[in-house]
Amino acid sequence: MPQPGSATVRSHVRIPLTFPDGYRADAEVSTFHGLADGAEHLALALGTVPAGGTPLVRLHSECLTGDVFGSDRCDCGPQLRESVERISEAGGYLLYLRQEGRGIGLYNKLDAYALQDSGLDTYDANTALGLPEDGRDYTAAAQMLTALGVDEVDLLSNNPDKAAQLAGLGITVRRRVPTGVHLSASNVRYLTAKVERTGHSIELSRLVG
């Protein structure tokens, strides 16, 4: 995979975060110039990386329904909340990437939900719309990390494709750290499809037991 061009940090600003359960964290939010896809991605610096340590990093794709409205059709909102706390404790970055619906956009994602209601899984619903199963490209994420001076990470993710793409883009993934299992009656088919179709590191026994 070709290495991405350079990006630069555009600005930093402190934002105190408060989640619905009362958890609080301080984030230094960075914006960027020169990202490959031209989108307004953000990097949230959380906690302090110990001297000589490797930052804990999550690539979190934007999910309006899950992150903002608390939808139970996915696990995105709980993963975001978990990630902020774990990264705050370990020191690192949460990259908030504007990749709604695994890169297909909000309206298409909602159209895919309608197809899922008729029996398709999350991946087949995308392809039934003529869209990729997962259209995300992490070139901009690698650019962001490089601009922040990060070339090695512990990646907080269940998704092997994120680690593979980052490695191909010149970021060393020292290890992949799975998130918790955020199960609801509404997302069990979605999580099961992630395991069976794309090898996500989620314990199936927690989903079907």
Side-chain angles (χ1 to χ4, degrees):
M1 183 179 294
Q3 299 305 301
S6 62
T8 57
V9 174
R10 174 181 173 275
S11 67
H12 299 291
V13 63
R14 177 185 169 275
I15 298 180
L17 309 177
T18 302
F19 287 83
D21 64 357
Y23 177 75
R24 296 172 179 266
D26 285 323
E28 183 179 72
V29 178
S30 298
T31 64
F32 299 86
H33 287 300
L35 296 178
D37 58 10
E40 293 184 327
H41 305 302
L42 302 174
L44 282 68
L46 298 159
T48 302
V49 181
T54 299
L56 183 63
V57 171
R58 173 158 178 81
L59 312 185
H60 187 90
S61 296
E62 176 182 50
C63 177
L64 180 71
T65 51
D67 296 342
V68 177
F69 298 127
S71 168
D72 281 340
R73 292 192 68 137
C74 62
D75 58 346
C76 301
Q79 281 190 324
L80 178 63
R81 163 65 177 83
E82 174 194 0
S83 297
V84 169
E85 182 170 3
R86 292 178 66 178
I87 296 170
S88 295
E89 292 171 352
Y93 297 93
L94 185 142
L95 305 191
Y96 196 82
L97 305 174
R98 312 302 296 276
Q99 302 172 327
E100 184 78 47
R102 295 197 305 273
I104 67 173
L106 179 59
Y107 279 15
N108 284 328
K109 181 178 84 170
L110 296 176
D111 291 342
Y113 278 177
L115 291 175
Q116 290 169 41
D117 288 342
S118 70
L120 297 183
D121 74 21
T122 181
Y123 298 102
D124 288 338
N126 282 17
T127 57
L129 293 170
L131 300 167
E133 290 185 354
D134 189 335
R136 291 175 292 183
D137 179 292
Y138 298 107
T139 298
Q143 289 179 303
M144 294 161 73
L145 291 169
T146 299
L148 293 166
V150 176
D151 59 9
E152 180 180 88
V153 302
D154 289 337
L155 186 64
L156 183 59
S157 178
N158 301 323
N159 185 350
D161 183 55
K162 290 181 179 180
Q165 284 203 41
L166 281 185
L169 291 161
I171 303 296
T172 299
V173 179
R174 188 178 70 159
R175 63 189 178 110
R176 185 160 57 89
V177 182
T179 71
V181 179
H182 301 288
L183 179 65
S184 74
S186 299
N187 71 20
V188 63
R189 288 181 61 241
Y190 167 79
L191 296 180
T192 300
K194 281 187 167 186
V195 174
E196 294 178 344
R197 298 289 296 272
T198 52
H200 279 58
S201 52
I202 303 170
E203 293 181 42
L204 266 179
S205 61
R206 298 277 300 279
L207 305 182
V208 299

PDB file of all heavy atoms in Angstrom, residues 132-170:
ATOM      1  N   PRO A 132     -20.275  -0.834  -1.075  1.00  0.00           N
ATOM      2  CA  PRO A 132     -19.327  -1.796  -0.495  1.00  0.00           C
ATOM      3  C   PRO A 132     -19.767  -2.268   0.884  1.00  0.00           C
ATOM      4  O   PRO A 132     -20.439  -1.534   1.623  1.00  0.00           O
ATOM      5  CB  PRO A 132     -18.019  -0.993  -0.409  1.00  0.00           C
ATOM      6  CG  PRO A 132     -18.443   0.435  -0.386  1.00  0.00           C
ATOM      7  CD  PRO A 132     -19.686   0.515  -1.215  1.00  0.00           C
ATOM      8  N   GLU A 133     -19.386  -3.496   1.230  1.00  0.00           N
ATOM      9  CA  GLU A 133     -19.661  -3.995   2.581  1.00  0.00           C
ATOM     10  C   GLU A 133     -19.053  -3.076   3.627  1.00  0.00           C
ATOM     11  O   GLU A 133     -19.656  -2.801   4.668  1.00  0.00           O
ATOM     12  CB  GLU A 133     -19.094  -5.406   2.757  1.00  0.00           C
ATOM     13  CG  GLU A 133     -19.820  -6.481   1.972  1.00  0.00           C
ATOM     14  CD  GLU A 133     -19.275  -7.853   2.282  1.00  0.00           C
ATOM     15  OE1 GLU A 133     -18.258  -7.958   3.018  1.00  0.00           O
ATOM     16  OE2 GLU A 133     -19.856  -8.846   1.807  1.00  0.00           O
ATOM     17  N   ASP A 134     -17.824  -2.626   3.352  1.00  0.00           N
ATOM     18  CA  ASP A 134     -17.128  -1.702   4.246  1.00  0.00           C
ATOM     19  C   ASP A 134     -16.289  -0.791   3.364  1.00  0.00           C
ATOM     20  O   ASP A 134     -15.284  -1.230   2.791  1.00  0.00           O
ATOM     21  CB  ASP A 134     -16.256  -2.461   5.246  1.00  0.00           C
ATOM     22  CG  ASP A 134     -15.680  -1.559   6.339  1.00  0.00           C
ATOM     23  OD1 ASP A 134     -15.536  -0.343   6.101  1.00  0.00           O
ATOM     24  OD2 ASP A 134     -15.375  -2.073   7.434  1.00  0.00           O
ATOM     25  N   GLY A 135     -16.707   0.460   3.233  1.00  0.00           N
ATOM     26  CA  GLY A 135     -16.032   1.385   2.337  1.00  0.00           C
ATOM     27  C   GLY A 135     -14.991   2.256   3.005  1.00  0.00           C
ATOM     28  O   GLY A 135     -14.531   3.235   2.407  1.00  0.00           O
ATOM     29  N   ARG A 136     -14.578   1.903   4.224  1.00  0.00           N
ATOM     30  CA  ARG A 136     -13.673   2.784   4.953  1.00  0.00           C
ATOM     31  C   ARG A 136     -12.217   2.622   4.515  1.00  0.00           C
ATOM     32  O   ARG A 136     -11.736   1.526   4.302  1.00  0.00           O
ATOM     33  CB  ARG A 136     -13.781   2.521   6.454  1.00  0.00           C
ATOM     34  CG  ARG A 136     -15.100   2.966   7.038  1.00  0.00           C
ATOM     35  CD  ARG A 136     -15.241   2.584   8.488  1.00  0.00           C
ATOM     36  NE  ARG A 136     -15.350   1.131   8.657  1.00  0.00           N
ATOM     37  CZ  ARG A 136     -15.531   0.532   9.817  1.00  0.00           C
ATOM     38  NH1 ARG A 136     -15.609   1.255  10.915  1.00  0.00           N
ATOM     39  NH2 ARG A 136     -15.635  -0.776   9.893  1.00  0.00           N
ATOM     40  N   ASP A 137     -11.557   3.764   4.399  1.00  0.00           N
ATOM     41  CA  ASP A 137     -10.128   3.833   4.101  1.00  0.00           C
ATOM     42  C   ASP A 137      -9.486   4.623   5.241  1.00  0.00           C
ATOM     43  O   ASP A 137      -9.969   5.698   5.609  1.00  0.00           O
ATOM     44  CB  ASP A 137      -9.913   4.535   2.753  1.00  0.00           C
ATOM     45  CG  ASP A 137      -8.441   4.663   2.378  1.00  0.00           C
ATOM     46  OD1 ASP A 137      -7.718   5.417   3.062  1.00  0.00           O
ATOM     47  OD2 ASP A 137      -8.024   4.029   1.400  1.00  0.00           O
ATOM     48  N   TYR A 138      -8.399   4.084   5.789  1.00  0.00           N
ATOM     49  CA  TYR A 138      -7.801   4.698   6.969  1.00  0.00           C
ATOM     50  C   TYR A 138      -6.536   5.499   6.654  1.00  0.00           C
ATOM     51  O   TYR A 138      -5.721   5.755   7.546  1.00  0.00           O
ATOM     52  CB  TYR A 138      -7.535   3.629   8.029  1.00  0.00           C
ATOM     53  CG  TYR A 138      -8.810   2.962   8.486  1.00  0.00           C
ATOM     54  CD1 TYR A 138      -9.106   1.658   8.106  1.00  0.00           C
ATOM     55  CD2 TYR A 138      -9.729   3.657   9.253  1.00  0.00           C
ATOM     56  CE1 TYR A 138     -10.291   1.060   8.496  1.00  0.00           C
ATOM     57  CE2 TYR A 138     -10.920   3.064   9.645  1.00  0.00           C
ATOM     58  CZ  TYR A 138     -11.191   1.759   9.264  1.00  0.00           C
ATOM     59  OH  TYR A 138     -12.375   1.175   9.648  1.00  0.00           O
ATOM     60  N   THR A 139      -6.413   5.939   5.401  1.00  0.00           N
ATOM     61  CA  THR A 139      -5.258   6.772   5.034  1.00  0.00           C
ATOM     62  C   THR A 139      -5.225   8.034   5.883  1.00  0.00           C
ATOM     63  O   THR A 139      -4.173   8.419   6.410  1.00  0.00           O
ATOM     64  CB  THR A 139      -5.309   7.137   3.547  1.00  0.00           C
ATOM     65  OG1 THR A 139      -5.243   5.938   2.767  1.00  0.00           O
ATOM     66  CG2 THR A 139      -4.149   8.039   3.160  1.00  0.00           C
ATOM     67  N   ALA A 140      -6.360   8.708   6.026  1.00  0.00           N
ATOM     68  CA  ALA A 140      -6.393   9.945   6.812  1.00  0.00           C
ATOM     69  C   ALA A 140      -6.026   9.678   8.267  1.00  0.00           C
ATOM     70  O   ALA A 140      -5.349  10.496   8.908  1.00  0.00           O
ATOM     71  CB  ALA A 140      -7.765  10.592   6.720  1.00  0.00           C
ATOM     72  N   ALA A 141      -6.439   8.525   8.803  1.00  0.00           N
ATOM     73  CA  ALA A 141      -6.083   8.197  10.181  1.00  0.00           C
ATOM     74  C   ALA A 141      -4.570   8.066  10.337  1.00  0.00           C
ATOM     75  O   ALA A 141      -3.994   8.564  11.311  1.00  0.00           O
ATOM     76  CB  ALA A 141      -6.773   6.898  10.594  1.00  0.00           C
ATOM     77  N   ALA A 142      -3.927   7.410   9.388  1.00  0.00           N
ATOM     78  CA  ALA A 142      -2.465   7.298   9.441  1.00  0.00           C
ATOM     79  C   ALA A 142      -1.819   8.669   9.332  1.00  0.00           C
ATOM     80  O   ALA A 142      -0.828   8.960  10.021  1.00  0.00           O
ATOM     81  CB  ALA A 142      -1.984   6.377   8.323  1.00  0.00           C
ATOM     82  N   GLN A 143      -2.346   9.530   8.473  1.00  0.00           N
ATOM     83  CA  GLN A 143      -1.813  10.889   8.357  1.00  0.00           C
ATOM     84  C   GLN A 143      -1.943  11.644   9.678  1.00  0.00           C
ATOM     85  O   GLN A 143      -1.032  12.375  10.087  1.00  0.00           O
ATOM     86  CB  GLN A 143      -2.567  11.654   7.276  1.00  0.00           C
ATOM     87  CG  GLN A 143      -2.298  11.214   5.855  1.00  0.00           C
ATOM     88  CD  GLN A 143      -3.122  12.034   4.877  1.00  0.00           C
ATOM     89  OE1 GLN A 143      -4.349  12.075   4.975  1.00  0.00           O
ATOM     90  NE2 GLN A 143      -2.451  12.703   3.956  1.00  0.00           N
ATOM     91  N   MET A 144      -3.079  11.510  10.331  1.00  0.00           N
ATOM     92  CA  MET A 144      -3.307  12.192  11.601  1.00  0.00           C
ATOM     93  C   MET A 144      -2.308  11.736  12.653  1.00  0.00           C
ATOM     94  O   MET A 144      -1.715  12.553  13.379  1.00  0.00           O
ATOM     95  CB  MET A 144      -4.731  11.939  12.072  1.00  0.00           C
ATOM     96  CG  MET A 144      -5.794  12.556  11.178  1.00  0.00           C
ATOM     97  SD  MET A 144      -7.432  11.821  11.401  1.00  0.00           S
ATOM     98  CE  MET A 144      -7.911  12.504  12.988  1.00  0.00           C
ATOM     99  N   LEU A 145      -2.122  10.429  12.748  1.00  0.00           N
ATOM    100  CA  LEU A 145      -1.170   9.915  13.730  1.00  0.00           C
ATOM    101  C   LEU A 145       0.242  10.423  13.449  1.00  0.00           C
ATOM    102  O   LEU A 145       0.969  10.838  14.363  1.00  0.00           O
ATOM    103  CB  LEU A 145      -1.200   8.388  13.733  1.00  0.00           C
ATOM    104  CG  LEU A 145      -2.489   7.763  14.288  1.00  0.00           C
ATOM    105  CD1 LEU A 145      -2.522   6.271  13.999  1.00  0.00           C
ATOM    106  CD2 LEU A 145      -2.615   8.022  15.787  1.00  0.00           C
ATOM    107  N   THR A 146       0.633  10.395  12.185  1.00  0.00           N
ATOM    108  CA  THR A 146       1.971  10.874  11.822  1.00  0.00           C
ATOM    109  C   THR A 146       2.126  12.347  12.165  1.00  0.00           C
ATOM    110  O   THR A 146       3.169  12.773  12.698  1.00  0.00           O
ATOM    111  CB  THR A 146       2.227  10.633  10.325  1.00  0.00           C
ATOM    112  OG1 THR A 146       2.147   9.233  10.058  1.00  0.00           O
ATOM    113  CG2 THR A 146       3.603  11.130   9.916  1.00  0.00           C
ATOM    114  N   ALA A 147       1.104  13.154  11.890  1.00  0.00           N
ATOM    115  CA  ALA A 147       1.161  14.582  12.206  1.00  0.00           C
ATOM    116  C   ALA A 147       1.281  14.816  13.705  1.00  0.00           C
ATOM    117  O   ALA A 147       1.872  15.823  14.144  1.00  0.00           O
ATOM    118  CB  ALA A 147      -0.077  15.287  11.660  1.00  0.00           C
ATOM    119  N   LEU A 148       0.751  13.902  14.497  1.00  0.00           N
ATOM    120  CA  LEU A 148       0.840  14.000  15.955  1.00  0.00           C
ATOM    121  C   LEU A 148       2.131  13.386  16.498  1.00  0.00           C
ATOM    122  O   LEU A 148       2.341  13.350  17.714  1.00  0.00           O
ATOM    123  CB  LEU A 148      -0.369  13.319  16.596  1.00  0.00           C
ATOM    124  CG  LEU A 148      -1.719  13.999  16.334  1.00  0.00           C
ATOM    125  CD1 LEU A 148      -2.856  13.073  16.724  1.00  0.00           C
ATOM    126  CD2 LEU A 148      -1.815  15.315  17.081  1.00  0.00           C
ATOM    127  N   GLY A 149       2.983  12.881  15.611  1.00  0.00           N
ATOM    128  CA  GLY A 149       4.254  12.303  16.030  1.00  0.00           C
ATOM    129  C   GLY A 149       4.154  10.876  16.497  1.00  0.00           C
ATOM    130  O   GLY A 149       5.039  10.384  17.208  1.00  0.00           O
ATOM    131  N   VAL A 150       3.103  10.183  16.095  1.00  0.00           N
ATOM    132  CA  VAL A 150       2.870   8.796  16.532  1.00  0.00           C
ATOM    133  C   VAL A 150       3.162   7.849  15.380  1.00  0.00           C
ATOM    134  O   VAL A 150       2.578   7.975  14.304  1.00  0.00           O
ATOM    135  CB  VAL A 150       1.408   8.608  16.991  1.00  0.00           C
ATOM    136  CG1 VAL A 150       1.139   7.151  17.356  1.00  0.00           C
ATOM    137  CG2 VAL A 150       1.099   9.524  18.173  1.00  0.00           C
ATOM    138  N   ASP A 151       4.084   6.904  15.592  1.00  0.00           N
ATOM    139  CA  ASP A 151       4.354   5.902  14.555  1.00  0.00           C
ATOM    140  C   ASP A 151       4.149   4.472  15.042  1.00  0.00           C
ATOM    141  O   ASP A 151       4.295   3.522  14.287  1.00  0.00           O
ATOM    142  CB  ASP A 151       5.767   6.062  13.986  1.00  0.00           C
ATOM    143  CG  ASP A 151       6.864   5.921  15.032  1.00  0.00           C
ATOM    144  OD1 ASP A 151       6.566   5.523  16.193  1.00  0.00           O
ATOM    145  OD2 ASP A 151       8.024   6.228  14.711  1.00  0.00           O
ATOM    146  N   GLU A 152       3.775   4.312  16.327  1.00  0.00           N
ATOM    147  CA  GLU A 152       3.480   2.999  16.889  1.00  0.00           C
ATOM    148  C   GLU A 152       2.304   3.130  17.837  1.00  0.00           C
ATOM    149  O   GLU A 152       2.253   4.078  18.638  1.00  0.00           O
ATOM    150  CB  GLU A 152       4.686   2.432  17.638  1.00  0.00           C
ATOM    151  CG  GLU A 152       4.419   1.051  18.253  1.00  0.00           C
ATOM    152  CD  GLU A 152       5.623   0.503  18.987  1.00  0.00           C
ATOM    153  OE1 GLU A 152       5.772   0.792  20.191  1.00  0.00           O
ATOM    154  OE2 GLU A 152       6.410  -0.229  18.349  1.00  0.00           O
ATOM    155  N   VAL A 153       1.365   2.176  17.765  1.00  0.00           N
ATOM    156  CA  VAL A 153       0.172   2.263  18.599  1.00  0.00           C
ATOM    157  C   VAL A 153      -0.190   0.901  19.166  1.00  0.00           C
ATOM    158  O   VAL A 153       0.168  -0.147  18.618  1.00  0.00           O
ATOM    159  CB  VAL A 153      -1.043   2.794  17.791  1.00  0.00           C
ATOM    160  CG1 VAL A 153      -0.747   4.154  17.192  1.00  0.00           C
ATOM    161  CG2 VAL A 153      -1.476   1.804  16.703  1.00  0.00           C
ATOM    162  N   ASP A 154      -0.906   0.935  20.281  1.00  0.00           N
ATOM    163  CA  ASP A 154      -1.728  -0.188  20.714  1.00  0.00           C
ATOM    164  C   ASP A 154      -3.127   0.166  20.238  1.00  0.00           C
ATOM    165  O   ASP A 154      -3.671   1.216  20.612  1.00  0.00           O
ATOM    166  CB  ASP A 154      -1.693  -0.352  22.229  1.00  0.00           C
ATOM    167  CG  ASP A 154      -0.363  -0.871  22.729  1.00  0.00           C
ATOM    168  OD1 ASP A 154       0.371  -1.513  21.952  1.00  0.00           O
ATOM    169  OD2 ASP A 154      -0.033  -0.632  23.912  1.00  0.00           O
ATOM    170  N   LEU A 155      -3.710  -0.673  19.398  1.00  0.00           N
ATOM    171  CA  LEU A 155      -4.955  -0.331  18.727  1.00  0.00           C
ATOM    172  C   LEU A 155      -6.142  -0.925  19.465  1.00  0.00           C
ATOM    173  O   LEU A 155      -6.264  -2.140  19.596  1.00  0.00           O
ATOM    174  CB  LEU A 155      -4.925  -0.842  17.285  1.00  0.00           C
ATOM    175  CG  LEU A 155      -6.107  -0.440  16.406  1.00  0.00           C
ATOM    176  CD1 LEU A 155      -6.145   1.078  16.203  1.00  0.00           C
ATOM    177  CD2 LEU A 155      -6.037  -1.151  15.064  1.00  0.00           C
ATOM    178  N   LEU A 156      -7.029  -0.061  19.950  1.00  0.00           N
ATOM    179  CA  LEU A 156      -8.227  -0.489  20.667  1.00  0.00           C
ATOM    180  C   LEU A 156      -9.315  -0.770  19.645  1.00  0.00           C
ATOM    181  O   LEU A 156     -10.016   0.134  19.182  1.00  0.00           O
ATOM    182  CB  LEU A 156      -8.666   0.608  21.644  1.00  0.00           C
ATOM    183  CG  LEU A 156      -9.869   0.320  22.544  1.00  0.00           C
ATOM    184  CD1 LEU A 156      -9.628  -0.902  23.418  1.00  0.00           C
ATOM    185  CD2 LEU A 156     -10.195   1.539  23.397  1.00  0.00           C
ATOM    186  N   SER A 157      -9.439  -2.033  19.250  1.00  0.00           N
ATOM    187  CA  SER A 157     -10.349  -2.381  18.163  1.00  0.00           C
ATOM    188  C   SER A 157     -10.583  -3.879  18.120  1.00  0.00           C
ATOM    189  O   SER A 157      -9.675  -4.674  18.386  1.00  0.00           O
ATOM    190  CB  SER A 157      -9.774  -1.926  16.821  1.00  0.00           C
ATOM    191  OG  SER A 157     -10.618  -2.292  15.754  1.00  0.00           O
ATOM    192  N   ASN A 158     -11.809  -4.261  17.708  1.00  0.00           N
ATOM    193  CA  ASN A 158     -12.107  -5.662  17.415  1.00  0.00           C
ATOM    194  C   ASN A 158     -11.917  -5.991  15.942  1.00  0.00           C
ATOM    195  O   ASN A 158     -12.062  -7.147  15.546  1.00  0.00           O
ATOM    196  CB  ASN A 158     -13.568  -5.964  17.785  1.00  0.00           C
ATOM    197  CG  ASN A 158     -13.860  -5.712  19.243  1.00  0.00           C
ATOM    198  OD1 ASN A 158     -13.031  -5.969  20.106  1.00  0.00           O
ATOM    199  ND2 ASN A 158     -15.044  -5.186  19.526  1.00  0.00           N
ATOM    200  N   ASN A 159     -11.594  -4.995  15.133  1.00  0.00           N
ATOM    201  CA  ASN A 159     -11.622  -5.110  13.675  1.00  0.00           C
ATOM    202  C   ASN A 159     -10.213  -5.338  13.112  1.00  0.00           C
ATOM    203  O   ASN A 159      -9.382  -4.427  13.137  1.00  0.00           O
ATOM    204  CB  ASN A 159     -12.224  -3.830  13.095  1.00  0.00           C
ATOM    205  CG  ASN A 159     -12.421  -3.893  11.594  1.00  0.00           C
ATOM    206  OD1 ASN A 159     -11.956  -4.812  10.928  1.00  0.00           O
ATOM    207  ND2 ASN A 159     -13.112  -2.904  11.057  1.00  0.00           N
ATOM    208  N   PRO A 160      -9.927  -6.519  12.576  1.00  0.00           N
ATOM    209  CA  PRO A 160      -8.576  -6.775  12.049  1.00  0.00           C
ATOM    210  C   PRO A 160      -8.225  -5.905  10.850  1.00  0.00           C
ATOM    211  O   PRO A 160      -7.045  -5.659  10.594  1.00  0.00           O
ATOM    212  CB  PRO A 160      -8.613  -8.258  11.678  1.00  0.00           C
ATOM    213  CG  PRO A 160     -10.057  -8.593  11.499  1.00  0.00           C
ATOM    214  CD  PRO A 160     -10.806  -7.718  12.460  1.00  0.00           C
ATOM    215  N   ASP A 161      -9.213  -5.423  10.106  1.00  0.00           N
ATOM    216  CA  ASP A 161      -8.922  -4.596   8.933  1.00  0.00           C
ATOM    217  C   ASP A 161      -8.309  -3.268   9.325  1.00  0.00           C
ATOM    218  O   ASP A 161      -7.461  -2.740   8.604  1.00  0.00           O
ATOM    219  CB  ASP A 161     -10.199  -4.360   8.117  1.00  0.00           C
ATOM    220  CG  ASP A 161      -9.928  -3.569   6.843  1.00  0.00           C
ATOM    221  OD1 ASP A 161      -9.061  -3.997   6.049  1.00  0.00           O
ATOM    222  OD2 ASP A 161     -10.570  -2.521   6.641  1.00  0.00           O
ATOM    223  N   LYS A 162      -8.702  -2.719  10.462  1.00  0.00           N
ATOM    224  CA  LYS A 162      -8.110  -1.451  10.903  1.00  0.00           C
ATOM    225  C   LYS A 162      -6.612  -1.631  11.148  1.00  0.00           C
ATOM    226  O   LYS A 162      -5.801  -0.806  10.720  1.00  0.00           O
ATOM    227  CB  LYS A 162      -8.799  -0.949  12.166  1.00  0.00           C
ATOM    228  CG  LYS A 162     -10.213  -0.468  11.951  1.00  0.00           C
ATOM    229  CD  LYS A 162     -10.830   0.049  13.248  1.00  0.00           C
ATOM    230  CE  LYS A 162     -12.252   0.555  13.028  1.00  0.00           C
ATOM    231  NZ  LYS A 162     -12.878   1.068  14.266  1.00  0.00           N
ATOM    232  N   ALA A 163      -6.252  -2.706  11.826  1.00  0.00           N
ATOM    233  CA  ALA A 163      -4.835  -2.958  12.095  1.00  0.00           C
ATOM    234  C   ALA A 163      -4.074  -3.199  10.806  1.00  0.00           C
ATOM    235  O   ALA A 163      -2.967  -2.682  10.620  1.00  0.00           O
ATOM    236  CB  ALA A 163      -4.697  -4.161  13.029  1.00  0.00           C
ATOM    237  N   ALA A 164      -4.650  -3.968   9.892  1.00  0.00           N
ATOM    238  CA  ALA A 164      -3.965  -4.272   8.635  1.00  0.00           C
ATOM    239  C   ALA A 164      -3.764  -3.009   7.802  1.00  0.00           C
ATOM    240  O   ALA A 164      -2.683  -2.798   7.233  1.00  0.00           O
ATOM    241  CB  ALA A 164      -4.763  -5.309   7.844  1.00  0.00           C
ATOM    242  N   GLN A 165      -4.780  -2.170   7.727  1.00  0.00           N
ATOM    243  CA  GLN A 165      -4.629  -0.941   6.945  1.00  0.00           C
ATOM    244  C   GLN A 165      -3.594  -0.010   7.563  1.00  0.00           C
ATOM    245  O   GLN A 165      -2.757   0.560   6.846  1.00  0.00           O
ATOM    246  CB  GLN A 165      -5.973  -0.220   6.804  1.00  0.00           C
ATOM    247  CG  GLN A 165      -6.922  -0.846   5.811  1.00  0.00           C
ATOM    248  CD  GLN A 165      -7.949   0.160   5.312  1.00  0.00           C
ATOM    249  OE1 GLN A 165      -7.641   1.327   5.048  1.00  0.00           O
ATOM    250  NE2 GLN A 165      -9.176  -0.292   5.169  1.00  0.00           N
ATOM    251  N   LEU A 166      -3.627   0.174   8.875  1.00  0.00           N
ATOM    252  CA  LEU A 166      -2.640   1.046   9.508  1.00  0.00           C
ATOM    253  C   LEU A 166      -1.223   0.535   9.265  1.00  0.00           C
ATOM    254  O   LEU A 166      -0.312   1.314   8.953  1.00  0.00           O
ATOM    255  CB  LEU A 166      -2.894   1.158  11.007  1.00  0.00           C
ATOM    256  CG  LEU A 166      -4.008   2.089  11.474  1.00  0.00           C
ATOM    257  CD1 LEU A 166      -4.023   2.149  12.996  1.00  0.00           C
ATOM    258  CD2 LEU A 166      -3.857   3.497  10.896  1.00  0.00           C
ATOM    259  N   ALA A 167      -1.031  -0.770   9.415  1.00  0.00           N
ATOM    260  CA  ALA A 167       0.300  -1.346   9.186  1.00  0.00           C
ATOM    261  C   ALA A 167       0.753  -1.098   7.751  1.00  0.00           C
ATOM    262  O   ALA A 167       1.917  -0.772   7.499  1.00  0.00           O
ATOM    263  CB  ALA A 167       0.284  -2.842   9.501  1.00  0.00           C
ATOM    264  N   GLY A 168      -0.161  -1.242   6.797  1.00  0.00           N
ATOM    265  CA  GLY A 168       0.177  -0.994   5.405  1.00  0.00           C
ATOM    266  C   GLY A 168       0.474   0.456   5.098  1.00  0.00           C
ATOM    267  O   GLY A 168       1.096   0.773   4.085  1.00  0.00           O
ATOM    268  N   LEU A 169       0.019   1.339   5.975  1.00  0.00           N
ATOM    269  CA  LEU A 169       0.229   2.779   5.793  1.00  0.00           C
ATOM    270  C   LEU A 169       1.395   3.296   6.634  1.00  0.00           C
ATOM    271  O   LEU A 169       1.588   4.508   6.758  1.00  0.00           O
ATOM    272  CB  LEU A 169      -1.060   3.527   6.162  1.00  0.00           C
ATOM    273  CG  LEU A 169      -2.222   3.312   5.183  1.00  0.00           C
ATOM    274  CD1 LEU A 169      -3.555   3.674   5.833  1.00  0.00           C
ATOM    275  CD2 LEU A 169      -2.005   4.114   3.911  1.00  0.00           C
ATOM    276  N   GLY A 170       2.184   2.388   7.202  1.00  0.00           N
ATOM    277  CA  GLY A 170       3.413   2.795   7.886  1.00  0.00           C
ATOM    278  C   GLY A 170       3.293   3.003   9.374  1.00  0.00           C
ATOM    279  O   GLY A 170       4.251   3.453  10.015  1.00  0.00           O
TER     280      GLY A 170
END
